[in-house]
Amino acid sequence: VEQLEAAGVTCTDSIAKTPQFTKDTMCLIAGRTPDNPKLFRECVDQGAKIIYLEKPGAPSVDSLQEMADLAKSKGVKVYLGYNKNVTPYVQKALKLSKTIDNSHITFCHNNSYATNELNECFTRNSEGMLKNMAIHELALLVSFFGVTVDTVQDFSLNTNSLFTEKLSVWVPGTVVPDDKYISDFSRIGFAVTTKSGTSVSVMADRCGGNVSFAAVKDGNGVLAEKFEFPDEETQKKVEALCAKDPEMMPYFFVQSDDYLVLKNLVIDSFLKGEEPENVATIQVGIEALKLAEHFTEEAGKILDKEM
């Protein structure tokens, strides 16, 4: 805070304590998910004209819909921080898939948590795997494949434990006899087919490492190309940054450039009075959250039957 204030940035513990916005103002909200609705309302009340909201935006579909309704009533544009909508490896896969008949894309999202770090991870991201980590991929499904709860024909969960695993872990800071446990997916893999015949797959693994990918297959299931991120050059950069700051999770370094691109797209489009290309709107965010809630429920039912 002292460094920011020294640079002329005003810091306060409440948006309401800032002067009412008299010029067109953009607000960036990067708080914990449960806090976002309150922060959002405060930004709107102060006169914000555009809001960049970090994913998933709100804890529930209902909360995010209320925020969207408020924004619409006040003429506020809202975009969500889904960096994978603009990341190069995804865009390359989408471009290639359009040149191949009956192509199928698998999006794999990996993080590099150790197994013994999952209790902290689950607790801090209590909204769950599909509303937190894999929500990026669900936003891709909504944005580029027309997948919504209403268009889904089939949800197929890969129940092999190598692809899908649900764990119950101890909540840090709780002790006997009041110890608590939280359940979530450490990894999940599934395929979705829409009523129009579009098919796409998603994999997410909290402990899968630093490299994510988008794999494109042809109509016969033969791999056409696999686009990885970070690539070899970026991975070297990430390793160097991790060595300087070993307490930082590597995925922050992996994704930082993409987030900068995303935020600049929103800012530049705002200044030009245009819509930012491929950037997720709050409506995309609502549909992604609906998918997260629906798929979490469906995956739970399937796993219960397997037991």
Side-chain angles (χ1 to χ4, degrees):
V1 172
E2 290 178 356
Q3 291 179 337
L4 290 171
E5 290 180 333
V9 178
T10 300
C11 297
T12 177
D13 60 0
S14 172
I15 297 169
K17 292 181 180 179
T18 62
Q20 190 78 18
F21 306 141
T22 56
K23 297 181 179 180
D24 287 351
T25 301
M26 174 181 169
C27 289
L28 185 153
I29 299 176
R32 302 309 306 167
T33 299
D35 298 329
N36 283 349
K38 177 178 179 292
L39 296 171
F40 185 90
R41 287 191 295 272
E42 290 177 346
C43 288
V44 173
D45 289 344
Q46 286 299 101
K49 289 299 181 184
I50 185 169
I51 294 177
Y52 174 101
L53 181 63
E54 284 298 354
K55 59 82 184 172
S60 69
V61 171
D62 289 343
S63 293
L64 195 58
Q65 184 63 62
E66 288 176 5
M67 293 157 67
D69 293 342
L70 174 62
K72 184 177 180 180
S73 71
K74 300 293 185 179
V76 180
K77 292 186 176 182
V78 185
Y79 302 99
L80 269 76
Y82 287 114
N83 66 305
K84 289 185 183 289
N85 273 42
V86 302
T87 194
Y89 83 93
V90 167
Q91 290 299 318
K92 289 176 183 177
L94 292 171
K95 183 178 180 179
L96 176 61
S97 70
K98 293 177 181 178
T99 68
I100 301 173
D101 291 338
N102 301 315
S103 61
H104 183 98
I105 300 182
T106 296
F107 295 106
C108 178
H109 184 172
N110 287 320
N111 280 171
S112 55
Y113 288 96
T115 302
N116 62 4
E117 295 174 324
L118 287 177
N119 58 345
E120 184 276 334
C121 174
F122 285 11
T123 303
R124 180 165 48 83
N125 302 296
S126 59
E127 59 266 33
M129 164 69 88
L130 287 170
K131 284 188 177 182
N132 177 256
M133 180 179 174
I135 194 73
H136 285 283
E137 284 62 41
L138 298 185
L140 293 177
L141 268 55
V142 175
S143 299
F144 302 109
F145 297 87
V147 179
T148 67
V149 170
D150 292 333
T151 66
V152 171
Q153 178 70 44
D154 181 68
F155 171 79
S156 178
L157 182 73
N158 188 335
T159 57
N160 187 312
S161 61
L162 294 175
F163 294 90
T164 299
E165 179 184 60
K166 192 172 185 180
L167 301 174
S168 290
V169 298
W170 166 72
V171 175
T174 64
V175 295
V176 176
D178 297 318
D179 51 329
K180 297 180 181 179
Y181 291 81
I182 186 171
S183 296
D184 194 12
F185 294 97
S186 61
R187 53 182 173 264
I188 191 169
F190 58 87
V192 178
T193 303
T194 66
K195 294 172 183 177
S196 64
T198 300
S199 182
V200 59
S201 295
V202 171
M203 297 189 296
D205 190 341
R206 292 285 193 190
C207 306
N210 290 328
V211 179
S212 298
F213 65 81
V216 182
K217 293 184 178 180
D218 64 19
N220 295 317
V222 177
L223 181 66
E225 193 162 355
K226 181 179 179 182
F227 301 94
E228 295 186 341
F229 185 76
D231 55 25
E232 186 175 345
E233 181 179 346
T234 306
Q235 183 61 32
K236 290 180 180 178
K237 174 184 173 182
V238 170
E239 290 172 355
L241 290 169
C242 287
K244 291 181 179 179
D245 190 355
E247 294 186 2
M248 184 73 74
M249 284 299 297
Y251 67 79
F252 286 111
F253 297 127
V254 170
Q255 299 175 9
S256 61
D257 288 346
D258 287 339
Y259 273 115
L260 182 59
V261 168
L262 177 60
K263 289 168 184 173
N264 281 332
L265 277 172
V266 175
I267 292 169
D268 291 343
S269 68
F270 180 40
L271 294 175
K272 295 176 182 177
E274 302 173 350
E275 290 294 320
E277 186 177 7
N278 295 328
V279 176
T281 62
I282 193 169
Q283 193 57 47
V284 169
I286 290 169
E287 295 300 332
L289 266 184
K290 286 181 180 179
L291 288 177
E293 293 183 357
H294 178 62
F295 290 164
T296 298
E297 182 179 356
E298 290 300 304
K301 291 177 180 177
I302 293 170
L303 290 179
D304 286 345
K305 289 180 181 179
E306 293 280 321
M307 295 177 65

